[in-house]
Amino acid sequence: MTITAVKKSVTLGVGRSSDVPNVAPYRFQQGDFNLTILSDGYFSLPGTVFAPEASLVERADVVARLGFSNDTIRSRANIPVITIGDEVILVDVGAGQKYEPTEGLLAGNLAAQGIDPASVTRVLFTHGHPDHIWGTLTENGDLRFPNATYYMGATEWNFWMDPDFRTSMPTVLHDFALGAQRDLMAVKERMVMLQPGDEILSGIVALDTAGHTPGHLSFEVAGDEGLIITADAATSHVISFEHPSWRFGYDMLSDLAIKNRQTLLERAAAEKLKLLGYHWAYPGVGFAERKGTAFQFAPAH
Ligand SMILES: [Zn+2]
């Protein structure tokens, strides 16, 4: 990265803040794939969302070890850009300028890397939450990645596109559904519906991690030790690992989320798979290691 590019990133971030210092982003190779982890910023959540069932003492402990002291956890947004040959693949697109003011940094960070949005060939959506898909459109309402093919689990698509969402979903989800319908309708003609196990291209496969949302997918990338882009199957590199059976406040189907989180972490620990977490401390890349009946996160960097 050149100094000019760094300054450009700062300029584009004016008025918005990022927890990620303006240094060269974290990159690594996974088999034949090159990955660059870019940040979309962060949003803040109380510890009670991350650990609603914890005692006060337990919650204070995990929040402190996440690096926060005021019961406000900064939940980062780590977005991988995967390149191979002529392919430029994004997994989720962040929140754009539509959700929290501390998010929406992806566009500037792509520009800082010299990545033209028009060069993005595929966008894989893990699920339909605002911090993952509300960056689909620019402020003008155009597709931010106009040449991409989009992918999402069919179950997830059907959940958010329900025309009767005002009666089928609790009121608290209505704004999320309206935002999801705005963005998903805009890419409808470019959308490929996925089933768990589907291969997007050689070496990238959709993995069923439903529970956070009804059709949540993670993505498995072949090569070397193997990599799973977990997204929100595990939302904290401390809490999800050390207490995988604790409910996360924003999981829609808690029991299923807990089951799939434990299965994912057990497999990752047994097979020594590399993991990428969307909301973990930047860049959110590391391994699950067994610790007693649970796990601990071992950063890869
Ligand atoms: Zn999320």
Side-chain angles (χ1 to χ4, degrees), residues 127 131-132 232 278-279:
H127 65 295
D131 50 320
H132 297 257
D232 288 9
Y278 193 83
H279 292 298

mmCIF file of all heavy atoms in Angstrom, residues 127 131-132 232 278-279, ligand 1:
data_model
loop_
_atom_site.group_PDB
_atom_site.id
_atom_site.type_symbol
_atom_site.label_atom_id
_atom_site.label_comp_id
_atom_site.label_asym_id
_atom_site.label_seq_id
_atom_site.Cartn_x
_atom_site.Cartn_y
_atom_site.Cartn_z
ATOM 1 N N HIS A 127 -25.699 -14.004 5.552
ATOM 2 C CA HIS A 127 -27.068 -13.859 6.056
ATOM 3 C C HIS A 127 -27.532 -12.430 5.821
ATOM 4 O O HIS A 127 -26.759 -11.595 5.346
ATOM 5 C CB HIS A 127 -27.166 -14.275 7.530
ATOM 6 C CG HIS A 127 -26.407 -13.425 8.508
ATOM 7 N ND1 HIS A 127 -25.029 -13.339 8.506
ATOM 8 C CD2 HIS A 127 -26.824 -12.632 9.529
ATOM 9 C CE1 HIS A 127 -24.645 -12.538 9.479
ATOM 10 N NE2 HIS A 127 -25.703 -12.090 10.114
ATOM 11 N N ASP A 131 -25.570 -5.329 9.067
ATOM 12 C CA ASP A 131 -24.118 -5.139 9.073
ATOM 13 C C ASP A 131 -23.419 -6.022 8.040
ATOM 14 O O ASP A 131 -22.213 -5.893 7.833
ATOM 15 C CB ASP A 131 -23.536 -5.374 10.477
ATOM 16 C CG ASP A 131 -23.990 -6.678 11.105
ATOM 17 O OD1 ASP A 131 -25.178 -7.039 10.954
ATOM 18 O OD2 ASP A 131 -23.155 -7.353 11.748
ATOM 19 N N HIS A 132 -24.189 -6.903 7.379
ATOM 20 C CA HIS A 132 -23.606 -7.800 6.376
ATOM 21 C C HIS A 132 -24.042 -7.477 4.953
ATOM 22 O O HIS A 132 -23.304 -7.773 4.011
ATOM 23 C CB HIS A 132 -23.949 -9.256 6.721
ATOM 24 C CG HIS A 132 -23.363 -9.687 8.026
ATOM 25 N ND1 HIS A 132 -22.236 -10.481 8.112
ATOM 26 C CD2 HIS A 132 -23.726 -9.386 9.300
ATOM 27 C CE1 HIS A 132 -21.944 -10.666 9.399
ATOM 28 N NE2 HIS A 132 -22.819 -10.014 10.132
ATOM 29 N N ASP A 232 -21.370 -15.130 11.474
ATOM 30 C CA ASP A 232 -21.942 -14.949 12.808
ATOM 31 C C ASP A 232 -22.334 -16.261 13.483
ATOM 32 O O ASP A 232 -23.133 -16.266 14.419
ATOM 33 C CB ASP A 232 -23.135 -13.990 12.743
ATOM 34 C CG ASP A 232 -22.683 -12.561 12.495
ATOM 35 O OD1 ASP A 232 -21.485 -12.351 12.208
ATOM 36 O OD2 ASP A 232 -23.529 -11.645 12.580
ATOM 37 N N TYR A 278 -16.280 -12.720 11.552
ATOM 38 C CA TYR A 278 -16.677 -11.391 11.071
ATOM 39 C C TYR A 278 -16.541 -10.339 12.173
ATOM 40 O O TYR A 278 -16.105 -9.217 11.927
ATOM 41 C CB TYR A 278 -18.131 -11.457 10.599
ATOM 42 C CG TYR A 278 -18.601 -10.272 9.785
ATOM 43 C CD1 TYR A 278 -18.339 -10.213 8.416
ATOM 44 C CD2 TYR A 278 -19.329 -9.238 10.358
ATOM 45 C CE1 TYR A 278 -18.789 -9.141 7.650
ATOM 46 C CE2 TYR A 278 -19.780 -8.166 9.601
ATOM 47 C CZ TYR A 278 -19.509 -8.120 8.248
ATOM 48 O OH TYR A 278 -19.955 -7.064 7.489
ATOM 49 N N HIS A 279 -16.934 -10.720 13.395
ATOM 50 C CA HIS A 279 -17.016 -9.724 14.474
ATOM 51 C C HIS A 279 -15.871 -9.802 15.472
ATOM 52 O O HIS A 279 -15.895 -9.107 16.484
ATOM 53 C CB HIS A 279 -18.351 -9.868 15.209
ATOM 54 C CG HIS A 279 -19.535 -9.472 14.370
ATOM 55 N ND1 HIS A 279 -19.699 -8.198 13.882
ATOM 56 C CD2 HIS A 279 -20.606 -10.178 13.923
ATOM 57 C CE1 HIS A 279 -20.827 -8.131 13.182
ATOM 58 N NE2 HIS A 279 -21.385 -9.322 13.182
HETATM 59 ZN ZN ZN B 1 -23.178 -9.633 12.153
#
